[in-house]
Amino acid sequence: MSSTLTGRHTPTALIIGASRGLGHAMAAEFLDRGWRVIGTVRDTAARTPLHALADRADGHVTIEHLDINEPHHLAPLHERLAQRRLDLLFVNAGTTNHEQTPIGAVPTADFAEVMITNALSPMRAIEALEDLVSPTGLIGAMSSGQGSLTNNTTAGREVYRGSKAALNMFLRSFANRQAASQRAFVLLAPGWIRTALGGPDAPFTVEESVPLLVDVLLSRLGTPGLAYLDRSGRTVPW
C-alpha cells in the first residue's frame, strides 16, 4: 500500500455505505493509500465486497453495522467507535425512483423514501458522529451535480434532484453552525458513474472515477469551510 502517513499517525476514514459500489471502491482506495478504514454495511447476514476487502486488509479495515434509515442504530455505532479518532467521515448514501415522473405525480411514500435516504439520514449520521472527527478533519457527503439549482436546465429525475439539493442545503447549514471550525466540509458530485444507481449507460466507470474522488477529498484536508466540488475538484454552482 502506498502511504499517506505523517510521522507515526495512520489516518482513519469512516465511510458510511461501503458494502459495494462507490462506497466499497472508496474504502479500497483509501486502504491502498495507507489509511485505516471503517466501513458500514446495512445487512449483517450477507457477505459483501467490503468483507472480501477486510479479509485481505491485515486488520486495516473494520466493518460496522448501520442502516442509515434507522436512527436508533447511530448511538450504538457512536459508542463502539468512541475510542477512535476519525480524520474523515464520509456519507455515501443514495437511492432514486420515479426517474421521469413530474414531482406532482410522485406518491408521497416514494417521495419520502428518497428524501429520507438521500438528505435526512445522511445529516442525522453526520450530526450523531461529528464529535468523533478530528478538529482538523473532513466531513463530507456524496451529493450530485443534479443537486445544483443553477445547472438544472433539463428537468427529469425531479425527486432525486430535489433530495440532493436538500442535502446540499442541510450540510451548508451544518457548516455554518460550525463557522469557527477548522474542519473541511465537502459535498462531492461524482458525475454519472456505472453503478447500480447510475445504470449501465453511464459514461464513467467506478475504477476510473474513485481515485479522482479520493484525490478531491484529500486535497481539501486542512482547508476549513464548505466546498461543493465535482470529480475534478471544480466548484459546482449552487
Side-chain angles (χ1 to χ4, degrees):
M1 295 185 295
S2 63
S3 179
T4 59
L5 309 186
T6 301
R8 300 180 63 181
H9 174 63
T10 301
T12 299
L14 170 58
I15 301 176
I16 294 178
S19 60
R20 55 182 55 82
L22 277 180
H24 162 258
M26 290 177 71
E29 185 69 18
F30 275 106
L31 180 67
D32 285 345
R33 298 189 190 207
W35 284 57
R36 295 184 184 275
V37 177
I38 305 166
T40 71
V41 300
R42 185 173 57 185
D43 185 357
T44 58
R47 274 187 64 85
T48 70
L50 184 65
H51 288 84
L53 181 68
D55 287 346
R56 60 178 186 272
D58 195 27
H60 287 264
V61 173
T62 303
I63 298 175
E64 291 286 352
H65 174 229
L66 175 68
D67 184 333
I68 199 170
N69 288 340
E70 297 290 346
H72 65 277
H73 286 185
L74 289 168
L77 176 61
H78 185 283
E79 184 175 353
R80 293 195 299 272
L81 299 180
Q83 302 307 311
R84 306 289 293 267
R85 175 57 64 190
L86 306 176
D87 298 277
L88 182 145
L89 164 61
F90 190 80
V91 183
N92 174 55
T95 189
T96 188
N97 59 36
H98 294 279
E99 294 277 283
Q100 301 306 321
T101 304
I103 190 63
V106 175
T108 299
D110 296 343
F111 174 85
E113 176 191 12
V114 176
M115 293 295 290
I116 290 169
T117 302
N118 291 3
L120 178 58
S121 292
M123 291 310 305
R124 279 178 170 159
I126 288 171
E127 297 267 10
L129 302 171
E130 63 91 11
D131 66 304
L132 301 177
V133 180
S134 164
T136 56
L138 183 148
I139 295 173
M142 192 69 80
S143 184
S144 169
Q146 295 192 16
S148 168
L149 300 181
T150 302
N151 287 347
N152 183 3
T153 59
T154 61
R157 307 195 82 197
E158 293 178 17
V159 180
Y160 181 80
R161 287 179 186 274
S163 70
K164 291 299 185 178
L167 172 65
N168 293 352
M169 179 62 78
F170 297 151
L171 190 61
R172 188 165 183 169
S173 292
F174 177 80
N176 284 337
R177 281 190 265 125
Q178 300 200 17
S181 171
Q182 293 302 301
R183 290 173 176 158
F185 302 96
V186 178
L187 288 157
L188 196 55
W192 189 12
I193 301 174
R194 252 170 269 155
T195 61
L197 184 65
D201 297 327
F204 303 121
T205 66
V206 170
E207 292 75 17
E208 68 184 316
S209 300
V210 164
L212 300 176
L213 301 179
V214 171
D215 283 344
V216 171
L217 293 176
L218 294 181
S219 75
R220 294 297 301 176
L221 277 171
T223 305
L226 174 65
Y228 179 20
L229 304 172
D230 70 10
R231 60 195 280 122
S232 299
R234 296 172 299 205
T235 298
V236 181
W238 296 98

